[in-house]
Amino acid sequence: MTQTTPDAPVRRQRAQVKVRTLRTDRWWLVPLLTFLGLSSFLVYGVWAIIDNSFFVDPYVAPFASPCLVEALCPPGARLFGWAPIGDWYTLSPGLLILGLPGGFRLTCYYYRKSYYRSFWLSPPACAVQEPHGKYTGERRFPLIIQNIHRYFFYAAIVIGLILAYDAVLALIHKPLGLGTWILIANAVLINAYTLSCHSCRHITAGRLNHFSRHPLRYRAWTFVSKLNAKHQPLAWASMFSVMGADLYVRLVAKGLIAFPYA
């Protein structure tokens, strides 16, 4: 014990805990499940990029929409019949656009927390020691790139509207098709997740000093704030919905699903 005089301050040291954590619950379960969930999405995304069965009238696989390559995109898969990329491009059409929604998710505040904890173990859970010797935050390359999240948000808004347009076209041409309602549900979840973004909440009215002077922006901010409270479940729901919708369209295009009203 440190000897002190009545007037001297008491010196206190941090507890010297030699074990990684004192927690006795299954703290490792959440990062493990997160790791498996995100890994499945990454593996599927790689497969979807190399698979060319992305269109069966009137369905367009979300991972390939908008389809912009003239030589590879059937007329029904093109956005307003527009295919600005010529015959010189021979790779997957999805490569041209996946960087936009992918960049939005990669820099998303919730996903950053998820893969920091599950892939980098930084830290894997609360009150659990991380294996890294020092913490530099997001001030250095490459993590400083996370700061462009708000710009990916604008691109994600465009992609979300395109997916909604694809769903409306499917509803017009095949209202009884199961794929139509799968695409509609996916479009709703994708756009809800995008609007629930923290950057969207800030852009809507985060810098206003007087809400009373901006009633419309205040109402929009209130709506986005309610979505923002559900950002985590919307992130997971939209991730699996876009993967499921994309897989469904590809299976129909391959002829593996051919029941009535597919």
Side-chain angles (χ1 to χ4, degrees):
M1 178 179 295
T2 303
Q3 297 295 328
T4 62
T5 62
D7 296 329
V10 177
R11 296 181 180 179
R12 301 181 185 275
Q13 292 183 341
R14 297 183 63 182
Q16 301 300 309
V17 181
K18 297 182 179 180
V19 295
R20 190 178 185 190
T21 181
L22 297 176
R23 292 179 60 171
T24 57
D25 62 320
R26 293 185 292 181
W27 58 264
W28 48 266
L29 184 59
V30 171
L32 175 61
L33 294 176
T34 302
F35 174 82
L36 294 176
L38 295 179
S39 295
S40 67
F41 185 71
L42 293 174
V43 170
Y44 179 82
V46 171
W47 174 78
I49 286 175
I50 63 178
D51 180 72
N52 287 323
S53 301
F54 54 82
F55 175 72
V56 55
D57 195 29
Y59 305 146
V60 183
F63 275 41
S65 181
C67 198
L68 304 175
V69 184
E70 183 178 4
L72 301 176
C73 301
R78 302 174 186 177
L79 182 66
F80 307 123
W82 186 52
I85 310 300
D87 296 342
W88 58 269
Y89 185 86
T90 58
L91 300 177
S92 168
L95 280 174
L96 296 173
I97 53 97
L98 277 181
L100 301 178
F104 177 66
R105 286 184 183 267
L106 187 67
T107 59
C108 165
Y109 292 108
Y110 170 70
Y111 281 114
R112 279 144 75 171
K113 167 195 167 184
S114 296
Y115 63 73
Y116 286 173
R117 289 191 169 193
S118 60
F119 284 84
W120 297 346
L121 307 179
S122 181
C126 293
V128 178
Q129 188 181 59
E130 61 180 292
H132 309 285
K134 61 180 181 179
Y135 174 75
T136 59
E138 297 176 340
R139 297 173 296 167
R140 300 179 181 177
F141 182 84
L143 295 185
I144 197 171
I145 298 177
Q146 306 280 31
N147 294 320
I148 64 174
H149 174 64
R150 68 183 63 187
Y151 302 107
F152 278 121
F153 164 75
Y154 297 121
I157 283 288
V158 175
I159 296 297
L161 292 175
I162 292 173
L163 294 182
Y165 174 76
D166 290 341
V168 169
L169 284 184
L171 181 63
I172 293 174
H173 296 289
K174 202 170 187 178
L176 299 181
L178 176 59
T180 295
W181 296 100
I182 290 177
L183 292 179
I184 290 175
N186 175 60
V188 170
L189 288 172
I190 288 290
N191 283 282
Y193 161 66
T194 303
L195 293 177
S196 73
C197 167
H198 298 73
S199 290
C200 178
R201 185 170 181 263
H202 178 74
I203 292 168
T204 303
R207 302 181 68 178
L208 295 181
N209 292 325
H210 303 283
F211 282 141
S212 60
R213 298 179 184 177
H214 307 273
L216 293 181
R217 292 184 64 182
Y218 173 69
R219 290 183 182 180
W221 179 83
T222 303
F223 173 75
V224 171
S225 296
K226 292 178 181 179
L227 288 178
N228 182 253
K230 305 292 184 182
H231 194 51
Q232 176 177 333
L234 285 173
W236 282 104
S238 62
M239 189 183 80
F240 283 108
S241 75
V242 70
M243 185 164 56
D246 188 89
L247 179 61
Y248 181 86
V249 173
R250 293 176 191 273
L251 293 179
V252 174
K254 294 176 183 295
L256 298 178
I257 295 180
F259 51 80
Y261 306 110

